[in-house]
Amino acid sequence: MAKAENSKLNTGGILPQVFYPSAGLVLALVSLSVLAPATTQALFSAAKSWAANEAGWFTVLSVAAFLVFVVALGFSKLGLLKLGPDHSTPDYSYGTWFAMLFAAGMGIGLMYFGVAEPVMHFAKPPVGNPESIASARQAMRITFFHWGIHAWAIYAVVALSLAYFGYRHGLPLRIRSALYPLIGERIHGPIGHAVDTFAVLGTIFGLATSLGLGVIQINSGLQYLFGTPVSTSVQVALIAGITSVATVSVFTGLDRGVRRLSEFNMILAAALLLFVLATGPTVHLLQAFVQNTGMYVSNVFGMTFNLYAYEPTDWIGGWTLFYWGWWIAWSPFVGMFIARISRGRTVREFVVGVLLVPLGFTFLWMTIYGNAALHMILTDGATDLMSAVSADSSVAIYSFLERLPLPSVTSAVATLLVIVFFVTSADSGALVIDMLSSRDGGESPVWQRIFWALLVGAIAIALLIAGGLTALQAATIASALPFTVVMILACVGLLRAMRLDVAKREAIRTARMAPGSLAGTDWKGRLRALVHQPREQEVIAYLRDKVRFALDEVATELVKQGLAARTDAGADGRVWLEVGHGQEMDFFYSVRPRPYNPPSFVMEDLRRGRPDGDRFYRAEVHLREGGQDYDIMGWTREEVIHDVLDQYHRHLHFLDAVR
């Protein structure tokens, strides 16, 4: 990945090759939806039909492959690699990381479908008799399947690609970077621009779907609370108003306020969940949670590949394929978030955490809302709840809460939850789209972020005008298809890069290693060097006067041998040597000062006179993969040179092994 690191950084601003095609296509679709809604609706219906009937097998097979791929990565020897340099440590503790993964699993979708989906499957199952005990079990099994591990496997593919290439290999935090092992520097050309354009379009449609569902539900909540009429015009006004709030936060940079509002929303959602658990059939819900989880685990393999080929039905296009398309379209947004919080984790930690941690909360949410609603229908005879949901799925949560204590309060809380999810999703989504359509190395202009925030609201309005929920589903399924191909290529690139990393580690480990050991020093002098705790300036002076001179000598000799070698120094005192190898991986050897707290075994008299908490420094060797955890402080010039040659010998051994 050496050549990528040497690529020129652009200044901030729009990336025309991504910005203009993405913006142009979306604006054209918005214009067509407003000017010719009937034509647009027919276009969406045809696209949905084709994607479901002709390409459904491809989508289902791809999602299954993503799950197998992620699990295999996590539990193979590749799972020991870190999402960052070898010496990196996680940015967040397990507790904080788990909490943020929970946050990634929350959103408008859970609020919209928590009650609606189980009840709709119960009333109209894909196969079998409706409104029976068997259809109730099937309804929860299908709901768990749609909101289960497959969604998180899709997110994990994108997040792994972003984190691995961004944090371990220093490539831009973009989808295109995953293709570097396949096409090299061409990721910075038309192919890379096309990949990021697909990511932008997918994110826009995935976000617009969530906002469209959210505003439909907000409209139903306002009707329940205040008698506001349910209509497309009201929903358009709501999108315009709430998008304006999100745009203001983008313009004023109210990141901290939005973040706190989001955290408050999480607490509110958890409180509402506990309220339903406490006031509903608590024991039944806990029993159902265990049984639902068992049914999911025992049936997940068969359901993964079920296309109802022997029982042709339109059901799969409106449900399973819609969800798979939604998760794929949403993956750049969620993947970016997960990647940003996962630096320093091993691939295995990442896979286990991302696949399992949010899953438990999602399953609990769907059980408490879904099984409580089914219990009302089967046991309490609330058939009017089923009728209301079948007629309009957006009223599901309100019709459900109406049958529990304090319906006005809980319905107001539910509406507030959806509104805040709407604002934070629009704000964060616009930021991700903005990052994908901006140059690297600088901050994009504020107008660009505002433009994307407004455009996402515009496409949500256009889809509502062009057919409401049907148009949202169709746009999501159709937009996910090209990005599915990108994700497959990303898997291939990720696997190739990881295998190269493991091959290099094994080559280094098996090659001859003979580091300097102060052999020319008497044992008393060596002992003094071992217990000596050098200060920062002492280490920096050593790097400047001894190590840099040694690296310069090696570089001079390498140039004489016809190789491109150079040395340099950083402001923090580090010095390094780079040796170019053309299209093959370059060699990089660096020594840098690294601080440590004095160890407890150091004698007290050696620590006297130092301020409390003062640190000592080591001169540590770093290769391109990260720190090597050994100190060369005090080595002679010849010993440093021989260590450089030892590491260079290992690097050449690695290049020979992978040719």
Side-chain angles (χ1 to χ4, degrees):
M1 306 301 166
K3 293 181 73 63
E5 293 190 2
N6 294 331
S7 299
K8 294 180 180 179
L9 290 177
N10 296 312
T11 57
I14 67 170
L15 185 61
Q17 299 91 333
V18 175
F19 180 88
Y20 289 120
S22 304
L25 287 170
V26 175
L27 286 171
L29 185 59
V30 170
S31 302
L32 184 63
S33 300
V34 174
L35 299 175
T39 302
T40 310
Q41 186 173 1
L43 180 65
F44 280 138
S45 297
K48 178 183 176 183
S49 178
W50 183 87
N53 298 328
E54 305 299 328
W57 64 272
F58 172 74
T59 303
V60 167
L61 190 62
S62 298
V63 171
F66 295 149
L67 176 58
V68 173
F69 174 77
V70 170
V71 173
L73 276 188
F75 292 95
S76 69
K77 61 183 178 181
L78 304 179
L80 300 177
L81 294 171
K82 281 191 173 182
L83 301 177
D86 290 339
H87 66 279
S88 60
T89 56
D91 292 338
Y92 303 98
S93 66
Y94 276 116
T96 303
W97 187 54
F98 288 159
M100 287 191 285
L101 287 177
F102 274 126
M106 284 295 298
I108 292 171
L110 291 181
M111 292 296 298
Y112 191 96
F113 288 106
V115 173
E117 182 168 354
V119 172
M120 293 172 77
H121 294 326
F122 172 74
K124 192 177 180 181
V127 294
N129 296 322
E131 302 178 32
S132 63
I133 298 297
S135 67
R137 282 196 296 266
Q138 181 181 203
M140 293 310 303
R141 187 168 66 245
I142 292 172
T143 301
F144 269 40
F145 174 63
H146 288 158
W147 291 84
I149 199 169
H150 294 76
W152 293 99
I154 291 169
Y155 296 155
V157 167
V158 176
L160 259 179
S161 299
L162 290 169
Y164 184 80
F165 289 105
Y167 299 137
R168 189 170 179 87
H169 291 289
L171 289 167
L173 209 60
R174 296 173 177 274
I175 307 299
R176 68 173 70 190
S177 297
L179 304 188
Y180 189 87
L182 304 179
I183 61 175
E185 290 296 307
R186 284 180 290 172
I187 66 167
H188 303 296
I191 297 176
H193 300 323
V195 167
D196 282 348
T197 299
F198 287 141
V200 168
L201 292 174
T203 303
I204 287 174
F205 284 108
L207 189 58
T209 299
S210 291
L211 301 187
L213 293 174
V215 82
I216 292 171
Q217 194 169 35
I218 292 170
N219 194 177
S220 296
L222 294 177
Q223 183 196 41
Y224 178 83
L225 293 170
F226 308 112
T228 305
V230 175
S231 66
T232 302
S233 59
V234 171
Q235 292 161 7
V236 168
L238 287 170
I239 290 178
I242 301 175
T243 301
S244 299
V245 175
T247 304
V248 169
S249 73
V250 169
F251 178 74
T252 57
L254 298 176
D255 292 337
R256 184 174 299 177
V258 172
R259 190 179 301 117
R260 288 178 176 173
L261 194 61
S262 183
E263 292 169 354
F264 171 73
N265 216 35
M266 287 293 299
I267 296 172
L268 210 58
L272 186 61
L273 187 70
L274 292 174
F275 173 81
V276 175
L277 177 63
T279 57
T282 307
V283 175
H284 167 72
L285 295 179
L286 296 176
Q287 291 173 335
F289 175 69
V290 175
Q291 185 168 337
N292 291 343
T293 304
M295 285 193 303
Y296 173 75
V297 172
S298 61
N299 289 278
V300 66
F301 186 82
M303 295 180 70
T304 295
F305 298 97
N306 187 6
L307 279 163
Y308 297 95
Y310 296 100
E311 301 147 319
T313 174
D314 293 334
W315 180 91
I316 190 170
W319 287 104
T320 303
L321 292 180
F322 163 65
Y323 275 119
W324 288 180
W326 194 7
W327 305 146
I328 291 169
W330 196 242
S331 61
F333 173 42
V334 179
M336 184 75 74
F337 172 77
I338 295 175
R340 283 183 171 274
I341 65 173
S342 300
R343 186 181 187 276
R345 299 280 171 198
T346 66
V347 173
R348 185 167 299 164
E349 284 179 307
F350 176 90
V351 169
V352 173
V354 171
L355 292 189
L356 299 183
V357 171
L359 201 63
F361 183 78
T362 302
F363 282 179
L364 186 64
W365 181 283
M366 288 301 187
T367 294
I368 290 177
Y369 281 95
N371 277 103
L374 294 176
H375 187 271
M376 289 177 180
I377 296 170
L378 286 170
T379 304
D380 302 336
T383 55
D384 55 331
L385 171 61
M386 181 175 61
S387 301
V389 173
S390 298
D392 183 1
S393 55
S394 67
V395 305
I397 186 72
Y398 304 108
S399 298
F400 168 75
L401 293 174
E402 193 175 46
R403 290 161 175 79
L404 296 175
L406 305 174
S408 297
V409 175
T410 54
S411 295
V413 169
T415 303
L416 178 62
L417 279 169
V418 179
I419 291 173
V420 177
F421 278 135
F422 190 121
V423 173
T424 54
S425 295
D427 180 74
S428 304
L431 179 61
V432 170
I433 296 168
D434 178 64
M435 291 174 61
L436 291 171
S437 59
S438 300
R439 295 183 185 274
D440 301 322
E443 187 173 347
S444 61
V446 174
W447 72 261
Q448 185 177 332
R449 297 197 294 274
I450 294 174
F451 172 81
W452 287 121
L454 294 174
L455 194 60
V456 167
I459 193 66
I461 291 172
L463 292 175
L464 286 176
I465 293 173
L469 184 59
T470 301
L472 292 170
Q473 291 177 336
T476 300
I477 295 172
S479 66
L481 274 176
F483 194 66
T484 303
V485 177
V486 172
M487 289 180 63
I488 292 172
L489 295 175
C491 289
V492 176
L494 187 62
L495 181 62
R496 182 173 296 182
M498 285 184 169
R499 291 178 66 182
L500 274 175
D501 261 353
V502 170
K504 184 174 184 181
R505 291 177 66 175
E506 291 178 348
I508 290 174
R509 188 171 59 250
T510 55
R512 178 179 175 272
M513 183 174 182
S517 58
L518 303 177
T521 307
D522 68 281
W523 71 268
K524 292 181 181 179
R526 184 177 179 187
L527 178 60
R528 284 194 297 271
L530 288 173
V531 299
H532 177 53
Q533 306 291 305
R535 305 295 290 270
E536 181 181 17
Q537 292 306 316
E538 182 180 352
V539 174
I540 290 176
Y542 170 72
L543 297 182
R544 181 185 64 240
D545 299 334
K546 291 286 184 69
V547 178
R548 177 66 186 272
F549 182 68
L551 297 182
D552 286 341
E553 284 194 278
V554 175
T556 300
E557 190 61 32
L558 287 169
V559 170
K560 290 180 181 179
Q561 300 296 325
L563 294 171
R566 72 179 187 92
T567 62
D568 206 344
D572 60 352
R574 73 180 69 184
V575 295
W576 66 84
L577 165 71
E578 289 184 86
V579 185
H581 282 273
Q583 293 299 315
E584 295 185 307
M585 189 176 293
D586 296 343
F587 173 70
F588 178 83
Y589 181 98
S590 169
V591 186
R592 63 184 68 180
R594 187 175 180 187
Y596 288 87
N597 290 321
S600 59
F601 62 79
V602 175
M603 292 179 289
E604 287 298 323
D605 59 341
L606 295 177
R607 300 179 65 180
R608 285 176 186 163
R610 289 192 173 188
D612 183 43
D614 197 12
R615 298 182 293 182
F616 74 96
Y617 282 74
R618 290 172 23 132
E620 290 197 352
V621 172
H622 284 240
L623 303 179
R624 189 168 298 282
E625 294 73 32
Q628 301 304 298
D629 297 323
Y630 69 93
D631 178 23
I632 65 169
M633 181 65 189
W635 289 18
T636 66
R637 179 180 59 82
E638 288 292 326
E639 288 166 340
V640 173
I641 290 174
H642 280 290
D643 189 60
V644 174
L645 297 181
D646 285 336
Q647 294 291 5
Y648 188 51
H649 182 199
R650 296 187 195 109
H651 183 76
L652 294 178
H653 177 74
F654 156 70
L655 294 181
D656 290 337
V658 298
R659 284 193 181 107

